[in-house]
Amino acid sequence: MLSAAMRDEKLGNENAHRELPVTNVSMLTKCIWCAILLTGILIILSSGVGIRPLDAFDDCFYAEASRNILKTGDWLNLYWLGGSPFLEKPPLQFWITAGLFKVMGVTEFSARLFPMFCGLGMVLVVMMFARRFLSWQASCVAGLAMLSFPAFYEYSTKAMLDIPVAFLISISLLFFHKGIEQEGQRRYFWFYGISFGLAVLTKSVVGFVPLIAGTMILLLKRPGRNVWRYYLESLAIAFLVIMPWHAYAYVRHGNLFLREYLLYHVVQRMMGDIGYQTGNSVWFYFLEIGRSNPLGIFIVLGIAVVLVRAIIYRDWNCMLLAGWIAAVFIPISASAVRLAWYTVPLYPPFALSVAVASDVLIKKVNRPVLVYLLVAGAALSALWTGYHFQHEKIELLSKETNPFQLKNLFAQFRKSSANRDLLRIYEFGEAAPLAYFYADRPIQFQFSSKESLAAHQKIPSNYLEKGVVRMIPDLKALEMEMEHEGGFYLFQKTVFSTLPNRSALCSEEYKSRDFILVRCSHSGPN
């Protein structure tokens, strides 16, 4: 018979043997997580992220608004389109990008750096989230599932707001999850409130997803009084983060701020009256999420498993995921405007849903070979998606696309023109934001039809009246303007070739494969 000391020693050795695999698993998890993050970094950096020109419209407009902070020195008021107030979005990302411009210079890489950081941070947050209530293998599957979304890479390399707001929503709900599980930890609710407030400061109403999902869970879960008190405190903190800039913007701009920030970008988007070409099919978002995604069928299965566990088994972790999905999917589906990047905040809960389904399968089958197959399959999916993204972007570097042509043309124009030289762009809206960012000169957009002007006229600040946009009814009117006012004009070559008197009016300054920039001498008033 063993003595008490010997039994204690033997029990201690057995416990040590039981704990060793846990320690090894923890170290293995960290190594795999690092490998996943490194894979994402390498794919993004090898896609020419610092060389490719910014894309037209949002990508370039947001970079221009950030650079204008440095030009004006005004960090509270944003400007675009030749100095017009930019009231459509909150300022957080513009502040951060302006700071990066100041430190690193105004480049494509510095314009994209914050979304890139947020994209990789979102992968880490998703893996941390999964590890809180799933196996370590499932947490790896969650990270790899994130890297299997082609649009994840696409929007992580754009100077847009969708990846940053999705990252802040994810980290906010991670803190919320920790706060619910550890009722005595008030600080997690404070962090939840701060990150929720920052999400709203990034993309306005989209940032309210943590509030909707969190309130829904508390009403269903019915936690103790302390949790409710801490939650209300977190909302007060969020209010203190959100309100100062919004109050200032309203005092500074009055009803114009309400019309552009709320009426145009919330109400009119829900109604569909903003002049954008949108997806009209009710299945638009389902098709968009599954587009080129090798895990498309597993996302559907994962969501089904989450819903079953949330509704039937009352699993509160799955209830949180279901609430998260609903808080994003229902509003964007109800909106008449359907745009591909609206789905970005859905990627984290979808990746977690795939992880939940994987975890259920791992526990039910309990075969090591299945674990290896699941993780290896997710890894292959991520690598396949990353390879095709990287290959597609590298191919663009060898092609003379419109952004490349315009970037080079505007860079040449900038070197040889004065700061006040006006550049008129005729019938080519894609050139507008690129001209502001790369030429950095006053711009006027000219269109020949009311349909072309529709999007500009729907913006409440009315750029048509301010002269930023101008209506030129036909080529005869255009030639008269070129003769009497002169100056610089940008045309597509096919359009310029239709002008009867082009040689007499203007001389060629710069040209590319598809575009020509000319300078016209003016005759003055008759």
Side-chain angles (χ1 to χ4, degrees):
M1 182 173 293
L2 295 173
S3 66
M6 292 175 66
R7 284 198 305 271
D8 291 342
E9 183 179 356
K10 182 177 180 181
L11 182 60
N13 290 335
E14 290 175 354
N15 288 336
H17 284 300
R18 279 197 292 267
E19 290 171 3
L20 184 60
V22 175
T23 305
N24 288 339
V25 165
S26 178
M27 181 57 67
L28 181 60
T29 301
K30 292 176 182 176
C31 290
I32 296 178
W33 284 13
C34 289
I36 291 170
L37 292 173
L38 184 60
T39 300
I41 292 170
L42 292 175
I43 290 171
I44 286 174
L45 292 180
S46 63
S47 67
V49 71
I51 305 173
R52 287 184 282 116
L54 297 172
D55 293 331
F57 301 106
D58 288 0
D59 206 21
C60 231
F61 273 141
Y62 294 170
E64 185 223 345
S66 300
R67 187 182 58 179
N68 284 338
I69 293 176
L70 298 185
K71 290 176 66 177
T72 63
D74 189 346
W75 290 76
L76 292 177
N77 298 288
L78 304 177
Y79 300 95
W80 70 336
L81 294 178
S84 300
F86 178 71
L87 301 173
E88 300 181 11
K89 304 294 180 186
L92 180 62
Q93 179 165 324
F94 303 99
W95 289 340
I96 293 171
T97 304
L100 292 170
F101 282 162
K102 190 169 186 177
V103 173
M104 304 174 61
V106 181
T107 64
E108 290 94 345
F109 183 80
S110 51
R112 292 167 169 145
L113 184 57
F114 181 58
M116 287 162 51
F117 170 82
C118 290
L120 296 168
M122 187 160 58
V123 176
L124 179 60
V125 168
V126 163
M127 291 189 290
M128 293 171 63
F129 212 131
R131 190 66 188 96
R132 290 194 58 77
F133 63 97
L134 301 174
S135 64
W136 71 269
Q137 299 97 330
S139 73
C140 297
V141 170
L144 293 167
M146 279 294 300
L147 297 183
S148 296
F149 286 99
F152 165 80
Y153 292 110
E154 185 70 29
Y155 294 109
S156 292
T157 55
K158 287 182 181 289
M160 293 173 64
L161 312 177
D162 304 276
I163 288 289
V165 76
F167 166 70
L168 289 166
I169 289 169
S170 302
I171 201 169
S172 178
L173 289 172
L174 175 63
F175 285 128
F176 176 82
H177 190 276
K178 288 187 174 184
I180 292 291
E181 284 201 333
Q182 303 176 33
E183 295 189 12
Q185 300 295 328
R186 174 183 284 177
R187 68 179 184 274
Y188 290 129
F189 283 99
W190 291 356
F191 291 142
Y192 159 79
I194 292 170
S195 48
F196 159 41
L198 293 176
V200 176
L201 272 184
T202 300
K203 203 177 179 185
S204 63
V205 294
V206 180
F208 280 93
V209 169
L211 173 65
I212 299 170
T215 303
M216 188 185 307
I217 290 304
L218 290 180
L219 291 173
L220 293 172
K221 190 173 172 58
R222 298 181 181 179
R225 190 173 298 175
N226 281 345
V227 170
W228 277 105
R229 186 169 72 250
Y230 298 159
Y231 183 65
L232 293 176
E233 287 178 3
S234 73
L235 298 186
I237 292 171
F239 180 82
L240 293 176
V241 172
I242 295 167
M243 282 308 297
W245 179 83
H246 286 82
Y248 169 81
Y250 176 70
V251 171
R252 175 72 172 78
H253 298 283
N255 289 334
L256 178 63
F257 171 70
L258 296 180
R259 289 201 307 272
E260 293 207 16
Y261 189 78
L262 293 177
L263 179 63
Y264 176 68
H265 275 280
V266 178
V267 178
Q268 285 187 229
R269 282 178 185 267
M270 294 296 291
M271 301 294 293
D273 187 26
I274 62 172
Y276 287 174
Q277 183 178 358
T278 61
N280 295 318
S281 168
V282 266
W283 303 105
F284 175 77
Y285 288 121
F286 291 101
L287 296 173
E288 184 61 35
I289 291 164
R291 181 174 56 88
S292 304
N293 191 326
L295 294 181
I297 186 64
F298 296 101
I299 293 172
V300 175
L301 292 174
I303 294 171
V305 171
V306 164
L307 291 176
V308 168
R309 294 185 68 82
I311 296 171
I312 298 178
Y313 296 99
R314 307 292 293 175
D315 182 335
W316 90 270
N317 296 299
C318 290
M319 289 164 63
L320 177 59
L321 291 182
W324 188 348
I325 293 170
V328 179
F329 195 80
I330 292 175
I332 65 175
S333 298
S335 172
V337 175
R338 296 188 174 98
L339 299 170
W341 52 88
Y342 287 1
T343 62
V344 171
L346 287 168
Y347 299 161
F350 281 179
L352 287 167
S353 298
V354 173
V356 168
S358 301
D359 193 64
V360 170
L361 190 59
I362 288 169
K363 290 176 180 176
K364 285 195 175 295
V365 177
N366 196 22
R367 291 280 192 277
V369 67
L370 176 63
V371 174
Y372 299 140
L373 287 174
L374 283 172
V375 176
L380 287 174
S381 171
L383 291 172
W384 185 89
T385 301
Y387 168 76
H388 280 274
F389 171 79
Q390 187 263 0
H391 181 68
E392 174 189 329
K393 296 306 178 184
I394 290 297
E395 271 195 339
L396 286 177
L397 296 176
S398 62
K399 294 180 179 179
E400 203 174 359
T401 59
N402 285 349
F404 270 102
Q405 294 181 65
L406 292 168
K407 173 187 174 180
N408 295 331
L409 188 147
F410 291 141
Q412 291 176 316
F413 170 66
R414 182 177 180 177
K415 290 178 182 178
S416 60
S417 59
N419 289 337
R420 294 188 177 181
D421 283 341
L422 177 66
L423 174 61
R424 297 175 174 90
I425 300 173
Y426 183 74
E427 282 288 351
F428 193 65
E430 184 181 345
L434 294 163
Y436 273 119
F437 188 77
Y438 289 110
D440 194 22
R441 296 290 182 265
I443 310 293
Q444 184 183 85
F445 315 127
Q446 299 183 338
F447 298 98
S448 61
S449 67
K450 291 182 178 180
E451 290 74 18
S452 300
L453 282 169
H456 298 278
Q457 289 174 308
K458 291 178 187 300
I459 298 175
S461 54
N462 202 336
Y463 299 110
L464 185 61
E465 288 183 2
K466 293 182 178 181
V468 176
V469 177
R470 186 171 179 180
M471 180 75 175
I472 305 292
D474 51 41
L475 293 180
K476 183 178 180 181
L478 175 63
E479 287 191 334
M480 289 179 62
E481 180 192 277
M482 294 166 70
E483 180 181 357
H484 289 284
E485 297 188 19
F488 294 95
Y489 290 80
L490 174 73
F491 294 95
Q492 297 176 76
K493 283 184 175 179
T494 53
V495 175
F496 185 67
S497 65
T498 63
L499 293 175
N501 301 317
R502 57 186 179 277
S503 299
L505 292 171
C506 306
S507 60
E508 175 189 310
E509 289 284 313
Y510 309 105
K511 66 179 179 180
S512 64
R513 186 189 64 196
D514 300 311
F515 303 99
I516 183 168
L517 193 150
V518 298
R519 184 171 190 168
C520 305
S521 57
H522 64 87
S523 61
N526 292 330

